[in-house]
Amino acid sequence: MKATVYKSTGSWYQVKADDGRFYAARIKGVFKIEGFTSTNPIAVGDVVNISIEPGPEQHAVIEAIEPRHNYVIRQSPHHRKHHHIIAANIDQSILFITLKQPRTSQGFIDRFLVACEMYHVPAILVFNKADIYREKEMQQYEQLHDLYTQIGYRVLLCSMVTQQNIAELKALLQQKISLISGHSGVGKSTFIQQLFPDLSLKTLAVSEWSGKGMHSTTFAEMFDLPDGGKMIDTPGIRELALVDVTKQELSHYFPEMRERITQCQFNNCLHMYEPGCAVKQAVDAGEIAEERYFSYLKLLEAIDESTWA
């Protein structure tokens, strides 16, 4: 029987099978995906094949995993050369951003967008807490709105307090599998609570459904939306780090650069000091925002290619 992984808590997984029931499932033996080094071989959003174990506990065994059409990963906090899969088979990723209380840096926004581009996940930027923005923040928002919409990203200005554009945001979730991300304090949990008024966002103790002990790590979790679609909450996304990208590849994940890199004089151009660089010419002409170019340079400097050699 096929099932979708809704929650991963170490060695046990909460899966929803085609029969509509939830099962506590574990992996059969050693489970590895060839050519893929990960601390968690199965992630939230994965479609798996399960067999139901006899008994009243509603336990199952994961026999195999279906091919993924995409996934988002970060560097494992325990091993630099290993991945940790945040979620798989995602239709879109929504980043909650605030310009004050707390302030989300543009560097983080751009890092998040690069990660989405790398794994072919469409991204939506939600600027929350519009109710506390004054003239300074509204000017910043207008600049960022123009910057990211010109590149091709969807941008929304929202307020959980006044409900500004919340109906539009909820509509974007319908019939989609959406990854919800953002720093602590940006209103992500408040939005999820509005979607599910009866939901307690405290993570379920593993012992309640698997008979095993509690796990101290916070994990991603999938929820079925009332009007169709699924939402994946990702508490650990703030630790997102780019992995498996070389310096030569990075500009491919900036859409405004990607469309110009074939015009550079050198095919291995890093868009720094090389002559005949179409990207630098576009920056000088105001066709590529300086802020985005500086983000690119910071990310380029941070790439340690020896880590992934």
Side-chain angles (χ1 to χ4, degrees):
M1 185 186 302
K2 286 188 179 181
T4 301
V5 178
Y6 273 58
K7 190 176 182 181
S8 164
T9 53
S11 59
W12 284 84
Y13 302 86
Q14 189 179 46
V15 303
K16 185 178 183 180
D18 287 347
D19 62 4
R21 295 181 181 181
F22 282 95
Y23 296 90
R26 52 191 172 81
I27 296 172
K28 180 180 180 180
V30 179
F31 198 99
K32 292 183 178 179
I33 300 174
E34 187 176 350
F36 196 88
T37 305
S38 172
T39 57
N40 58 330
I42 296 177
V44 170
D46 271 331
V47 178
V48 295
N49 296 319
I50 63 170
S51 58
I52 310 302
E53 292 186 327
E57 297 90 354
Q58 288 195 312
H59 285 183
V61 176
I62 297 173
E63 306 277 357
I65 179 173
E66 297 288 311
R68 300 174 175 125
H69 69 258
N70 65 19
Y71 53 84
V72 175
I73 62 175
R74 64 176 171 87
Q75 182 177 298
S76 168
H78 307 296
H79 198 302
R80 292 185 67 196
K81 293 192 177 184
H82 285 185
H83 308 90
H84 180 85
I85 310 168
I86 297 170
N89 301 320
I90 308 155
D91 293 324
Q92 60 188 8
S93 188
I94 298 174
L95 179 65
F96 273 67
I97 300 160
T98 46
L99 298 178
K100 64 186 298 186
Q101 299 181 16
R103 179 181 173 274
T104 304
S105 71
Q106 189 176 348
F108 179 79
I109 298 171
D110 290 335
R111 181 184 295 268
F112 175 86
L113 292 175
V114 167
C116 290
E117 292 285 341
M118 286 175 63
Y119 307 119
H120 310 291
V121 180
I124 298 171
L125 302 179
V126 173
F127 287 81
N128 190 29
K129 300 191 180 181
D131 54 288
I132 65 171
Y133 292 171
R134 300 296 179 258
E135 184 178 353
K136 174 186 174 182
E137 288 80 26
M138 285 307 301
Q139 288 178 349
Q140 291 176 348
Y141 168 73
E142 293 297 339
Q143 292 171 356
L144 292 170
H145 172 273
D146 292 346
L147 168 63
Y148 289 112
T149 52
Q150 286 172 11
I151 298 171
Y153 293 110
R154 182 76 174 268
V155 178
L156 274 180
L157 179 64
C158 294
S159 167
M160 301 300 148
V161 176
T162 67
Q163 294 294 292
Q164 179 179 348
N165 289 329
I166 299 304
E168 183 177 353
L169 177 55
K170 289 180 178 178
L172 291 174
L173 301 181
Q174 291 183 16
Q175 310 306 321
K176 301 275 189 181
I177 299 176
S178 304
L179 189 74
I180 309 291
S181 312
H183 285 316
S184 176
V186 296
K188 179 171 63 75
S189 296
T190 303
F191 175 63
I192 296 171
Q193 201 74 56
Q194 290 187 12
L195 290 173
F196 307 97
D198 299 327
L199 175 70
S200 171
L201 288 180
K202 291 182 179 179
T203 54
L204 183 68
V206 181
S207 57
E208 293 180 21
W209 54 268
S210 72
K212 302 298 180 181
M214 291 181 65
H215 200 290
S216 60
T217 308
T218 303
F219 294 87
E221 185 171 3
M222 180 184 283
F223 302 94
D224 290 323
L225 294 166
D227 298 324
K230 297 177 174 65
M231 181 209 70
I232 302 174
D233 183 21
T234 55
I237 198 77
R238 66 183 179 275
E239 300 173 1
L240 180 68
L242 300 182
V243 294
D244 273 358
V245 58
T246 66
K247 292 186 176 184
Q248 278 70 31
E249 293 170 337
L250 181 62
S251 60
H252 292 256
Y253 305 124
F254 282 74
E256 67 272 45
M257 295 185 186
R258 184 168 58 224
E259 62 188 33
R260 292 176 167 89
I261 53 180
T262 57
Q263 302 167 24
C264 290
Q265 183 174 337
F266 300 103
N267 58 13
N268 61 346
C269 185
L270 292 179
H271 323 298
M272 295 178 68
Y273 312 112
E274 300 90 341
C277 173
V279 169
K280 287 199 308 180
Q281 292 171 4
V283 174
D284 292 339
E287 297 168 1
I288 291 178
E290 286 187 351
E291 300 94 326
R292 286 277 288 176
Y293 180 65
F294 292 147
S295 285
Y296 164 78
L297 293 179
K298 285 184 179 180
L299 287 173
L300 193 69
E301 185 180 3
I303 292 174
D304 179 7
E305 294 185 348
S306 63
T307 301
W308 301 101

